[in-house]
Amino acid sequence: MSDSEAADLETFRSETRAWLEANCPPEMRKPATSDADVFWGGRNAKFSSEPQRIWFERMRDKGWTVPDWPKEYGGGGLSVAEHKVLRAEMAKMGARPPLSSFGIWMLGPALLKYGNDAQKKEHLPKIAAGEIRWCQGYSEPNAGSDLASLQTRAESDGDDFVITGSKIWTSYANYADWIFCLVRTDPTAKKHDGISFILFDMTSKGVTTKPILLISGYSPFCETFFDGVRVPKSHVVGTVNRGWDVAKYLLQHERAMISGMGERGVGRPLGQIAADSVGTDALGRLDDAMLRGQIASFDVDEAALAACAERAVDLAKAGQAHPAFSSAMKYYGTELNKRRYEILMSAGGVDALEWESERSRQGARPRAWLRTKANSIEGGTSEVMLGIVAKRILDLPGA
Amino acid sequence: MSDSEAADLETFRSETRAWLEANCPPEMRKPATSDADVFWGGRNAKFSSEPQRIWFERMRDKGWTVPDWPKEYGGGGLSVAEHKVLRAEMAKMGARPPLSSFGIWMLGPALLKYGNDAQKKEHLPKIAAGEIRWCQGYSEPNAGSDLASLQTRAESDGDDFVITGSKIWTSYANYADWIFCLVRTDPTAKKHDGISFILFDMTSKGVTTKPILLISGYSPFCETFFDGVRVPKSHVVGTVNRGWDVAKYLLQHERAMISGMGERGVGRPLGQIAADSVGTDALGRLDDAMLRGQIASFDVDEAALAACAERAVDLAKAGQAHPAFSSAMKYYGTELNKRRYEILMSAGGVDALEWESERSRQGARPRAWLRTKANSIEGGTSEVMLGIVAKRILDLPGA
Amino acid sequence: MALVLTEEQSMLRDSARGLISDKAPVSHLRHLRDSKDPTGFSKELWQSFAEMGYAGLLVPEEFGGSGLGFMEAGIVTEEIGRTLMPSPFLATSVVAASALNRGGSAAQKSEYLPKISNGSLLATLAIDEGAKHRPLQTNLQAVRAGNGFKLSGAKALVVDGHVADLFIVAARTAGAAGKREGLTLFLVNSKAKGVAIERTIMVDAHNAARIEFANVELTADSVLGEVDQAAGLLDGILDIGRGAVAAEMVGLSDEVFGRTVEYLKNRKQFGKLIGEFQALQHRAAQLYVDIEITRAAVMKALQALDADVAKAASAVAVAKARAGTTATRAVQEGVQMHGGMGMTDQFDIGFFMKRARICEELFGDANYHTEQLARARGY
Amino acid sequence: MALVLTEEQSMLRDSARGLISDKAPVSHLRHLRDSKDPTGFSKELWQSFAEMGYAGLLVPEEFGGSGLGFMEAGIVTEEIGRTLMPSPFLATSVVAASALNRGGSAAQKSEYLPKISNGSLLATLAIDEGAKHRPLQTNLQAVRAGNGFKLSGAKALVVDGHVADLFIVAARTAGAAGKREGLTLFLVNSKAKGVAIERTIMVDAHNAARIEFANVELTADSVLGEVDQAAGLLDGILDIGRGAVAAEMVGLSDEVFGRTVEYLKNRKQFGKLIGEFQALQHRAAQLYVDIEITRAAVMKALQALDADVAKAASAVAVAKARAGTTATRAVQEGVQMHGGMGMTDQFDIGFFMKRARICEELFGDANYHTEQLARARGY
């Protein structure tokens, strides 16, 4: 970076800080603690509070719901460096994201890379403005990790495809306005070759959804059924039958996102949280020597993973990142998060085993614990991630 | 067991105890601490002490070098129950085995099951009497875990086979009088089908040996070379080309033997050994909390394995044992023994890192530590053991 | 003593398995949970248990029981572990019956043991007060009042606490929390004045309660064993409970493993049965070995209890610690290998994970028992 | 600061790698070991190190050094880790040079640092006394005698102790073992009267010694830093050493892993390349992830040291702990995956296992640093 670029960035930083200070309501400067704290947008969106509305609208108007998207699509047009500054300043202040959205995290990047002009103009601004809420139709009941074996078929009928089949693990399908979906457009082609990536309205005739009950209780996941849903062919993103390219691109995004779960500090050190319930011994140490050792090992690994996550970003910026590295991070981050919750359960003891009481906030801890068990399954299982590392990074034979 | 059988057994126990008390020299009532303490027999055998000679000869004369072999072959003719009593009484007194021998542990059981009458009469008494020392010719340099891919060939020439090839990991080949050896007698057959199990004298023309230096230093292992060694066909045990059956039978014996390594208590608890070098804290606990946790977990697993080893014997006696269970025990026992030595190294710290000093008894601890790394390789790797469990016990497909 | 089942024990196992798998498969627990059953278990089934002699399995024959040993009790809890049947067996027939039998006066035995045997009395030990199992930290106060005592304090994770007729309450009559001296066990009628019972719906949908004791008045003959000297008696009772829970965890581990192996043999991914993938094969094999070793350790502990409860502590610590780590591993691998399906409530695997977590906490987790072993071995 | 090498750092790495792999592959260590070389390292090679500016890498330019940072020192030790070159770099150029630079008076710096830079002086820290690294347990006594001090006691695992010209000795001038107060560092000429040096041949065939100090007389200007107040200075020096050793362990792990992956790609068993076996693939992938995460943690620690040595303690503890467990795992998997061949002295893999064990013990093992982190975090 040249001196003048650096100076510009510092100007941007101080302006951004001042703007955030002036515009982020105090209520929006602490972490979300319930679902209602998160604003997802969409046709039926409601704000849970006035500060939530104000914060969303101010950020939207600056294009900062999607700070690094081009301005023409409702984005902020920020450079990579500026975007990093904005994130850092928001983090410093504890400011919440104004809008959560699979449109932002997943479909947007895919459209920017693979969408045609009409698709970009149609969909990106509505994502940026939180007008349309999206869900993702990838997994199918019988496909599991073998995503590409999907069976939902899209049959050509004039200018339309007619879609029949079902999806599973569609997060918030019951709230979503539109879906981006993988469908089989050529059943005779090889597994990865006959798939297309298509967009359609969830209010289309023939679409139904059903929430999935998890071992942790209610979940955002749904089963979604398509019974002869008619979709114009112009809604295919990229080339027909080449949807797998789009899917793979998106999966990497998703993995990078999920791997982040293991890295976050939780505020107080785990060991101190444990000491609250377990107590301390005569030397002031957590009064469960074995648990203490497990926590300390966890802390070492968590700190190391945080360094690696930071390095992964730096490598990407330096153009030295291996494209499959997100699989390595996804694997380790999710396994680590599972360890964190095993420790929290052990530390909580009896108190962490109640499922319905008010005292336990309806079993918040055990439900969170059980929910982490999906981390190493969703977005590609740990086994699939290790296979990708073996094949694409280590170049092992037959992997 | 009937009452009268039980009474007989108690009589046997008291007689045995009395005999041992009267006949086992005091010097032979403590564990062997060096190679010289172990008597291996053979043509060139020397006793390292008078008590060693006395003990060996008295036991041999009773047939108790091989207590459960038939008397006609120099054994003691004991029943399973009596043999167990003898072992227990010897263990109680700390009495050493009078004779160590691959003939006893390995070849003997194979001959008893697969040998013809002439072979049994020729070899078993000499094994029992410690007159002939045997070694095992199984592994080959390029075969590794894939034992059956062995290349040493035995070509038919009249009444003889002419053997050419080489073996590796032949323990004490440089001291052995005879070898029991796997050779390929039909190179056109499928891998497991053209193998024979054959016996020959190590002084035969064309046999040479070369000791192998390990990472732990000198070792009993040798490379052994056969250059046109001529062996009568009558020396084949079992059927020609069916040697793999004999080999498999023996491998199970060997695995059961090796798996025993992890079970032995070492006298003082590991944690106390560690406290000697590491010290204790103000609460009297080992002053390395993490190491303490590792030791305690090890102790739990070791005690559990000991129970399982005991149960394996009981199951075998009850005819309920799975024939592949020795693979499971071999896997766990050797991995546990490696853990033991990692702990001992950690506990020993700096003092366990010297390699040549008198203070360290020429690096006894680090050499023993390094030597354990072979436990999970020799006699079938841990990977092969897990594969056997997956296939033969769990019946997993394609395992 | 051989570490294999005798013929009688095998018959007991077969008969328990027959009854339990027939009358109380996992769907039985699911139904009780989903219907929010007020007792959380089936009284009818408990009556069958009594009729088959299981309720009084450990009760001497003179009190109407079967007079069997801890190995037999473990055989039953192992079968319970396979289907996760919620049952008073652990709290009433194992722990409470052992407490009464080992510590009770002649009068106490005559009063309670026959009712346990015939299934008409449910009883339970109330021990834990804090988040973790720390028996010596017992601090529920029992102060002398006239000829008797007054109890004040609270207990958590009282198994079957909301349906029990009788509580066996660990209390402190002297000394500070942490001391062995000064512990006393009391028999408290669950309907006694000052007893407040809150049923707690637990993660495993089994039955437990929090109990508060507010100046509960007791007569002197409510003491089980000796005043101030209950530590030794309590050690024994707890070790018996630990052995039984460890056996339940072996059953649970074995069952979840069996279901997982079946899944590996039937589920296809990437054109293969997933059981063909070597990485999964090795993990399955490792888990198999873990379970077998744990099974042996648990049998060893039950035998040691049968031989002499007072000398079984180390064997029990090993068994409960191993059972904890093995069950944890078994349910984790079970869910992971079942993939997304394993995460759904619709599949049974999650029930096993939830129950394993409670079993792990009951009477001390793997960390607790590993620590006990280290202390016993003097390091 | 980005966690990637700058262009200058990449150049340094390439040039160090070039020199080391060319002049000191593993066969160099093997030769020194087998020939029982009296110094155990190559003086000639050390001279090349000095000429390339590595010997004085951390020494400020005014004293003839390169004035580089800890990140650069770590780059060099990482390359050393790849071939296991025995070299005075760690003891002299990293630890001793840092001690003198951070704690030395102007006179001490002028006397010693130029000689370190030009390769003519070897120096080392003498710290450990017991079996384990416990700096605060330092108990070698330094009593005042006239204007100076007399040293009595013994040190073990003194790296390069048998060839060093100068010892930096941690001693106790006050307080009891275990206290931070009362520690003092002394500069001691290795030829001083009363110094007895016993070379110890270590498992890794690298160089170390045990040193005894019998009433060794020192003048007051032998003190490095302040009397009784060395704890803080010592913390910093040790953390610098830990960072450098952790980097060496990353190099070692990466190299042994690379060799193992190569083996997997070439060795056939059961008619397949063993690298085709999925169980081995997954283990290799896990090890890869472990190494990458450790690499990042070590870079983070070296950066933290460059930013402020006094504030780097936690990052260093994480790095050294991770480096220990990762290297241990890497060499264990290396030997196991090489099978019987890996057990032979003829293969190089064993050398890595041996060196990893020493690196693990140097300046505190994974257990020590994990414990430090727990204490720092207040639990």
Side-chain angles (χ1 to χ4, degrees):
Chain A
M1 199 186 302
S2 72
D3 286 356
S4 80
E5 282 168 339
D8 286 353
L9 204 56
E10 278 318 297
T11 308
F12 176 78
R13 184 186 301 276
S14 53
E15 286 172 5
T16 297
R17 186 179 303 163
W19 187 89
L20 289 170
E21 279 296 347
N23 288 283
C24 183
E27 296 85 350
M28 296 293 108
R29 300 188 188 189
K30 53 194 177 194
T33 58
S34 77
D35 268 2
D37 285 353
V38 179
F39 182 65
W40 287 90
R43 289 175 189 145
N44 306 309
K46 288 205 177 60
F47 295 102
S48 65
S49 71
E50 192 55 17
Q52 192 187 60
R53 185 190 62 78
I54 292 171
W55 177 228
F56 165 72
E57 289 177 355
R58 287 179 181 165
M59 287 290 275
R60 178 197 61 197
D61 293 347
K62 270 189 95 71
W64 284 4
T65 54
V66 284
D68 58 343
W69 288 13
K71 287 194 175 179
E72 57 177 312
Y73 302 132
L78 300 192
S79 69
V80 170
E82 286 167 340
H83 190 194
K84 191 175 172 185
V85 165
L86 172 59
R87 278 201 311 265
E89 291 302 321
M90 284 178 68
K92 217 177 278 173
M93 173 180 295
R96 283 182 206 163
L99 176 62
S100 291
S101 149
F102 295 112
I104 296 177
W105 303 324
M106 309 195 71
L107 179 61
L111 280 179
L112 283 165
K113 191 171 166 78
Y114 291 97
N116 61 32
D117 230 44
Q119 290 168 336
K120 289 185 199 173
K121 281 193 186 129
E122 167 66 20
H123 296 296
L124 292 176
K126 291 180 186 164
I127 292 171
E131 289 169 14
I132 293 293
R133 182 169 180 176
W134 288 84
C135 65
Q136 177 197 45
Y138 271 32
S139 301
E140 297 190 5
N142 290 310
S145 288
D146 189 5
L147 201 57
S149 70
L150 60 92
Q151 299 297 324
T152 294
R153 64 184 194 279
E155 285 166 342
S156 175
D157 183 17
D159 287 342
D160 294 341
F161 282 117
V162 178
I163 299 176
T164 303
S166 68
K167 294 287 173 181
I168 196 169
W169 309 121
T170 347
S171 296
Y172 299 111
N174 46 347
Y175 299 121
D177 305 312
W178 276 65
I179 188 169
F180 50 98
C181 195
L182 292 176
V183 294
R184 187 160 302 283
T185 35
D186 181 356
T188 65
K190 274 198 300 175
K191 185 158 90 163
H192 294 86
D193 292 345
I195 294 170
S196 300
F197 188 99
I198 196 166
L199 315 176
F200 54 93
D201 195 313
M202 289 290 280
T203 60
S204 308
K205 185 153 175 279
V207 178
T208 50
T209 66
K210 184 178 139 197
I212 296 172
L213 191 63
L214 287 188
I215 60 175
S216 46
Y218 289 106
S219 78
F221 296 119
C222 295
E223 287 185 274
T224 307
F225 307 91
F226 311 126
D227 182 10
V229 181
R230 188 164 284 274
V231 181
K233 287 184 176 168
S234 61
H235 286 198
V236 169
V237 177
T239 312
V240 171
N241 290 334
R242 299 299 306 158
W244 189 246
D245 299 340
V246 188
K248 270 198 305 185
Y249 176 76
L250 268 192
L251 279 175
Q252 279 178 23
H253 262 265
E254 188 180 4
R255 275 159 202 168
M257 223 169 77
I258 295 178
S259 75
M261 288 190 300
E263 304 151 32
R264 294 177 312 214
V266 283
R268 290 187 73 205
L270 258 189
Q272 290 182 25
I273 294 173
D276 289 345
S277 47
V278 175
T280 52
D281 69 13
L283 301 178
R285 300 190 292 214
L286 179 66
D287 196 14
D288 184 331
M290 305 296 144
L291 178 61
R292 180 172 177 268
Q294 289 148 12
I295 295 176
S297 293
F298 173 86
D299 279 355
V300 167
D301 290 340
E302 189 192 40
L305 178 66
C308 194
E310 187 183 334
R311 183 160 188 261
V313 173
D314 293 339
L315 283 169
K317 278 193 288 191
Q320 299 172 23
H322 192 292
F325 197 70
S326 63
S327 296
M329 294 294 288
K330 198 270 175 187
Y331 160 71
Y332 200 91
T334 55
E335 295 295 336
L336 193 70
N337 202 41
K338 292 196 295 181
R339 266 169 76 192
R340 174 200 303 282
Y341 275 88
E342 287 291 331
I343 287 170
L344 281 167
M345 287 302 285
S346 183
V350 173
D351 297 338
L353 295 173
E354 290 185 24
W355 191 244
E356 295 192 347
S357 62
E358 206 167 303
R359 183 193 304 112
S360 66
R361 294 185 294 122
Q362 302 309 316
R365 194 179 286 189
R367 287 174 197 269
W369 161 66
L370 288 163
R371 180 62 185 81
T372 62
K373 300 306 179 195
N375 295 163
S376 51
I377 298 168
E378 58 204 345
T381 64
S382 283
E383 291 77 12
V384 168
M385 295 303 101
L386 291 173
I388 290 174
V389 170
K391 177 178 188 169
R392 298 190 47 202
I393 301 184
L394 303 182
D395 195 26
L396 285 170
Chain B
M1 201 186 301
S2 73
D3 285 355
S4 81
E5 283 168 339
D8 286 353
L9 203 57
E10 278 318 297
T11 310
F12 177 77
R13 184 187 301 277
S14 53
E15 286 171 4
T16 298
R17 187 180 301 162
W19 187 88
L20 288 171
E21 278 296 346
N23 287 282
C24 183
E27 297 84 349
M28 296 293 106
R29 299 188 189 189
K30 51 194 177 194
T33 59
S34 77
D35 267 1
D37 285 353
V38 180
F39 181 64
W40 287 90
R43 290 174 188 144
N44 306 308
K46 288 202 178 62
F47 295 102
S48 66
S49 70
E50 191 57 14
Q52 192 185 60
R53 184 188 62 77
I54 292 171
W55 177 228
F56 166 73
E57 288 177 356
R58 286 178 181 164
M59 287 290 275
R60 178 198 60 197
D61 293 349
K62 271 190 93 74
W64 283 4
T65 54
V66 284
D68 57 342
W69 288 14
K71 286 195 177 179
E72 57 176 313
Y73 303 132
L78 300 191
S79 69
V80 170
E82 286 167 339
H83 189 194
K84 191 176 172 184
V85 166
L86 172 59
R87 278 203 310 264
E89 291 302 320
M90 283 178 68
K92 217 177 278 174
M93 173 180 293
R96 282 181 208 164
L99 175 63
S100 293
S101 148
F102 294 112
I104 296 178
W105 302 326
M106 309 194 73
L107 179 60
L111 280 179
L112 283 166
K113 190 171 167 79
Y114 291 97
N116 60 34
D117 230 44
Q119 289 168 337
K120 288 184 200 172
K121 282 194 186 126
E122 166 66 20
H123 297 295
L124 292 176
K126 291 181 186 165
I127 291 172
E131 290 169 15
I132 293 293
R133 181 169 181 178
W134 288 84
C135 65
Q136 178 197 45
Y138 271 31
S139 302
E140 297 191 4
N142 289 311
S145 290
D146 189 6
L147 201 57
S149 70
L150 60 91
Q151 298 299 323
T152 293
R153 64 184 195 280
E155 286 167 344
S156 175
D157 184 17
D159 288 343
D160 295 341
F161 283 118
V162 177
I163 299 176
T164 304
S166 67
K167 294 287 174 180
I168 195 169
W169 309 121
T170 348
S171 297
Y172 299 112
N174 46 347
Y175 299 121
D177 305 314
W178 276 65
I179 188 168
F180 50 98
C181 195
L182 292 176
V183 294
R184 188 160 298 283
T185 34
D186 182 356
T188 65
K190 274 199 301 175
K191 187 158 90 163
H192 293 86
D193 292 343
I195 294 170
S196 299
F197 187 98
I198 197 167
L199 315 176
F200 55 93
D201 195 313
M202 289 290 279
T203 59
S204 308
K205 187 155 173 279
V207 178
T208 51
T209 67
K210 185 178 137 195
I212 296 171
L213 191 63
L214 288 188
I215 60 176
S216 46
Y218 290 106
S219 78
F221 296 119
C222 295
E223 285 184 274
T224 308
F225 306 92
F226 311 126
D227 182 10
V229 181
R230 188 164 285 273
V231 181
K233 287 184 176 169
S234 62
H235 286 197
V236 169
V237 177
T239 313
V240 171
N241 289 336
R242 299 298 308 159
W244 188 245
D245 299 341
V246 189
K248 270 197 306 186
Y249 176 75
L250 269 192
L251 280 174
Q252 280 179 21
H253 263 265
E254 187 181 4
R255 275 159 203 168
M257 223 169 77
I258 295 177
S259 75
M261 288 190 301
E263 305 151 30
R264 293 176 314 214
V266 283
R268 292 186 70 205
L270 259 189
Q272 290 181 26
I273 294 172
D276 288 346
S277 47
V278 175
T280 52
D281 70 13
L283 301 177
R285 300 189 293 212
L286 179 66
D287 196 13
D288 185 330
M290 305 296 145
L291 177 61
R292 181 171 176 270
Q294 289 149 10
I295 294 175
S297 293
F298 172 86
D299 279 356
V300 167
D301 291 340
E302 190 193 38
L305 178 66
C308 194
E310 188 183 335
R311 181 159 190 261
V313 173
D314 294 339
L315 283 170
K317 276 192 290 191
Q320 298 173 22
H322 192 292
F325 196 70
S326 63
S327 296
M329 294 294 287
K330 197 272 175 185
Y331 160 71
Y332 200 89
T334 55
E335 295 295 336
L336 193 70
N337 203 40
K338 291 197 293 181
R339 264 169 77 193
R340 175 201 301 285
Y341 275 88
E342 286 291 331
I343 287 170
L344 281 167
M345 287 302 286
S346 183
V350 174
D351 297 338
L353 295 173
E354 290 185 25
W355 191 244
E356 295 193 346
S357 62
E358 208 168 301
R359 182 192 306 113
S360 67
R361 294 184 294 119
Q362 303 308 318
R365 193 177 287 188
R367 287 173 197 269
W369 160 66
L370 288 163
R371 181 62 184 80
T372 62
K373 299 306 179 195
N375 295 162
S376 52
I377 299 169
E378 57 204 346
T381 64
S382 283
E383 291 77 13
V384 168
M385 296 303 101
L386 291 173
I388 289 174
V389 170
K391 177 180 188 166
R392 297 189 49 201
I393 301 184
L394 304 181
D395 196 26
L396 285 170
Chain C
M1 206 54 171
L3 286 168
V4 286
L5 297 190
T6 63
E7 206 172 314
E8 292 76 15
Q9 288 166 343
S10 297
M11 284 169 56
L12 172 67
R13 182 195 57 197
D14 294 346
S15 110
R17 186 175 295 180
L19 176 70
I20 293 170
S21 62
D22 182 32
K23 301 287 182 193
V26 179
S27 57
H28 174 68
L29 171 63
R30 184 187 287 277
H31 173 75
L32 290 165
R33 180 194 71 170
D34 292 347
S35 65
K36 298 188 186 293
D37 185 278
T39 63
F41 76 104
S42 159
K43 284 202 176 170
E44 212 182 316
L45 206 50
W46 185 238
Q47 210 45 55
S48 309
F49 252 57
E51 281 155 22
M52 292 184 74
Y54 299 161
L57 186 139
L58 289 170
V59 173
E61 294 180 18
E62 56 179 308
F63 300 113
S66 308
L68 295 174
F70 302 117
M71 189 66 127
E72 285 78 11
I75 286 169
V76 174
T77 57
E78 181 173 337
E79 293 308 318
I80 287 176
R82 289 182 190 280
T83 74
L84 309 175
M85 173 177 72
S87 154
F89 186 76
L90 175 69
T92 296
S93 305
V94 177
V95 177
S98 295
L100 288 160
N101 198 36
R102 295 174 62 77
S105 63
Q108 288 167 337
K109 289 188 194 180
S110 316
E111 181 175 356
Y112 297 113
L113 289 176
K115 293 183 187 159
I116 287 182
S117 301
N118 69 24
S120 64
L121 181 95
L122 300 185
T124 185
L125 178 70
I127 171 78
D128 292 341
E129 300 179 12
K132 300 297 284 185
H133 177 69
R134 298 284 186 270
L136 294 185
Q137 295 295 332
T138 291
N139 205 28
L140 183 142
Q141 296 293 315
V143 294
R144 285 190 189 270
N147 241 350
F149 295 84
K150 271 192 187 172
L151 260 57
S152 298
K155 295 286 183 182
L157 194 62
V158 181
V159 177
D160 299 340
H162 68 304
V163 288
D165 306 293
L166 181 72
F167 298 134
I168 300 170
V169 181
R172 190 158 284 285
T173 36
K179 299 286 174 206
R180 282 184 71 80
E181 291 288 305
L183 291 176
T184 307
L185 292 179
F186 292 94
L187 301 177
V188 183
N189 189 308
S190 65
K191 311 223 166 28
K193 192 164 164 256
V195 173
I197 300 168
E198 175 200 2
R199 178 181 182 186
T200 46
I201 305 292
M202 308 300 278
V203 61
D204 64 344
H206 278 54
N207 303 306
R210 290 182 183 262
I211 320 278
E212 283 194 43
F213 299 84
N215 285 311
V216 176
E217 293 182 21
L218 300 174
T219 58
D221 57 7
S222 311
V223 173
L224 184 76
E226 284 178 60
V227 174
D228 288 350
Q229 304 298 324
L233 175 60
L234 189 58
D235 284 346
I237 299 168
L238 289 170
D239 274 346
I240 290 164
R242 288 161 184 152
V245 175
E248 180 179 343
M249 294 170 96
V250 169
L252 181 158
S253 302
D254 203 48
E255 177 67 23
V256 83
F257 178 63
R259 289 173 180 234
T260 304
V261 169
E262 270 313 294
Y263 193 76
L264 293 179
K265 291 179 183 172
N266 288 295
R267 168 76 167 166
K268 278 201 167 181
Q269 292 265 274
F270 305 103
K272 278 189 191 183
L273 293 172
I274 59 175
E276 294 180 60
F277 288 104
Q278 196 202 29
L280 296 188
Q281 290 180 348
H282 280 202
R283 279 160 53 187
Q286 286 169 323
L287 187 50
Y288 166 81
V289 177
D290 262 346
I291 292 171
E292 287 308 310
I293 288 172
T294 302
R295 183 193 308 284
V298 172
M299 290 180 84
K300 190 85 187 164
L302 294 168
Q303 276 192 357
L305 286 166
D306 276 327
D308 183 350
V309 169
K311 290 183 182 160
S314 279
V316 169
V318 167
K320 184 67 168 64
R322 273 291 303 197
T325 47
T326 299
T328 298
R329 189 167 175 189
V331 296
Q332 286 176 353
E333 287 288 48
V335 169
Q336 179 71 21
M337 291 188 188
H338 276 79
M341 290 302 116
M343 280 300 297
T344 61
D345 186 70
Q346 178 191 346
F347 263 60
D348 288 343
I349 290 290
F351 282 79
F352 290 90
M353 178 172 270
K354 291 168 176 178
R355 178 63 186 161
R357 194 67 199 71
I358 298 268
C359 288
E360 169 64 338
E361 215 62 44
L362 263 182
F363 306 132
D365 62 10
N367 284 336
Y368 175 85
H369 289 291
T370 306
E371 173 73 26
Q372 296 307 307
L373 193 71
R375 291 188 188 183
R377 295 197 170 181
Y379 61 88
Chain D
M1 201 62 167
L3 286 168
V4 286
L5 298 190
T6 62
E7 205 171 316
E8 293 77 13
Q9 288 166 343
S10 297
M11 284 169 57
L12 172 66
R13 183 195 57 197
D14 295 345
S15 111
R17 185 174 296 180
L19 176 69
I20 293 170
S21 62
D22 182 34
K23 300 288 183 191
V26 180
S27 57
H28 174 69
L29 170 63
R30 185 187 286 277
H31 174 75
L32 290 165
R33 180 193 72 170
D34 292 347
S35 65
K36 298 188 184 296
D37 185 277
T39 63
F41 75 104
S42 160
K43 284 203 176 172
E44 212 182 314
L45 206 50
W46 184 238
Q47 211 45 56
S48 308
F49 253 57
E51 280 155 22
M52 292 184 74
Y54 298 161
L57 186 139
L58 288 170
V59 173
E61 294 181 19
E62 57 179 309
F63 300 113
S66 307
L68 295 174
F70 301 117
M71 189 65 126
E72 285 78 10
I75 288 169
V76 174
T77 57
E78 180 172 338
E79 293 308 317
I80 287 175
R82 289 182 189 280
T83 74
L84 310 175
M85 172 177 74
S87 152
F89 185 76
L90 175 68
T92 296
S93 305
V94 178
V95 178
S98 295
L100 288 160
N101 197 37
R102 296 176 61 78
S105 63
Q108 288 167 336
K109 289 187 193 181
S110 313
E111 182 176 354
Y112 297 114
L113 290 177
K115 292 182 188 163
I116 287 181
S117 300
N118 69 25
S120 65
L121 181 94
L122 300 185
T124 185
L125 177 70
I127 172 78
D128 293 340
E129 300 180 11
K132 300 296 286 184
H133 177 69
R134 296 286 186 270
L136 294 184
Q137 294 296 331
T138 291
N139 203 27
L140 183 144
Q141 296 293 315
V143 294
R144 285 191 188 269
N147 240 351
F149 295 83
K150 271 192 188 173
L151 259 56
S152 298
K155 295 286 184 181
L157 194 62
V158 181
V159 178
D160 299 340
H162 68 305
V163 288
D165 306 294
L166 181 72
F167 298 135
I168 300 169
V169 181
R172 191 157 283 285
T173 36
K179 300 285 174 205
R180 283 185 69 80
E181 290 289 304
L183 291 176
T184 306
L185 293 178
F186 292 94
L187 301 178
V188 183
N189 188 307
S190 64
K191 314 226 162 27
K193 195 164 162 259
V195 173
I197 300 168
E198 175 200 2
R199 179 180 181 186
T200 47
I201 305 292
M202 307 301 278
V203 62
D204 64 344
H206 278 54
N207 303 305
R210 289 182 183 262
I211 319 279
E212 284 195 40
F213 299 85
N215 285 311
V216 176
E217 294 182 19
L218 299 173
T219 57
D221 58 7
S222 312
V223 172
L224 184 76
E226 282 178 62
V227 174
D228 289 350
Q229 304 298 324
L233 175 60
L234 189 58
D235 284 346
I237 298 168
L238 288 170
D239 275 345
I240 290 166
R242 288 160 184 154
V245 174
E248 179 179 342
M249 293 171 97
V250 169
L252 182 159
S253 303
D254 203 48
E255 177 67 23
V256 83
F257 179 63
R259 288 172 181 236
T260 304
V261 169
E262 269 314 291
Y263 193 76
L264 294 178
K265 291 179 183 171
N266 288 294
R267 167 77 167 166
K268 278 201 167 181
Q269 292 266 275
F270 304 102
K272 278 189 188 180
L273 293 172
I274 59 175
E276 293 180 60
F277 288 103
Q278 197 202 28
L280 296 189
Q281 289 180 348
H282 281 202
R283 279 159 55 186
Q286 286 169 322
L287 187 49
Y288 166 80
V289 178
D290 262 346
I291 292 171
E292 286 310 308
I293 287 172
T294 303
R295 184 193 307 285
V298 172
M299 289 180 84
K300 191 85 185 164
L302 294 169
Q303 276 192 358
L305 286 165
D306 276 328
D308 184 349
V309 168
K311 289 183 183 162
S314 279
V316 169
V318 167
K320 185 66 168 65
R322 274 290 304 196
T325 48
T326 300
T328 298
R329 189 166 175 190
V331 296
Q332 286 176 353
E333 288 287 49
V335 169
Q336 180 70 21
M337 292 189 187
H338 275 79
M341 290 301 116
M343 280 300 296
T344 60
D345 186 70
Q346 180 191 341
F347 263 61
D348 288 343
I349 290 290
F351 282 80
F352 290 90
M353 178 171 270
K354 292 168 175 179
R355 178 63 185 160
R357 194 68 201 68
I358 297 269
C359 288
E360 169 64 336
E361 215 60 45
L362 265 181
F363 306 132
D365 61 11
N367 284 335
Y368 175 86
H369 289 291
T370 306
E371 173 74 26
Q372 296 306 308
L373 193 71
R375 292 188 188 184
R377 295 196 173 182
Y379 61 88

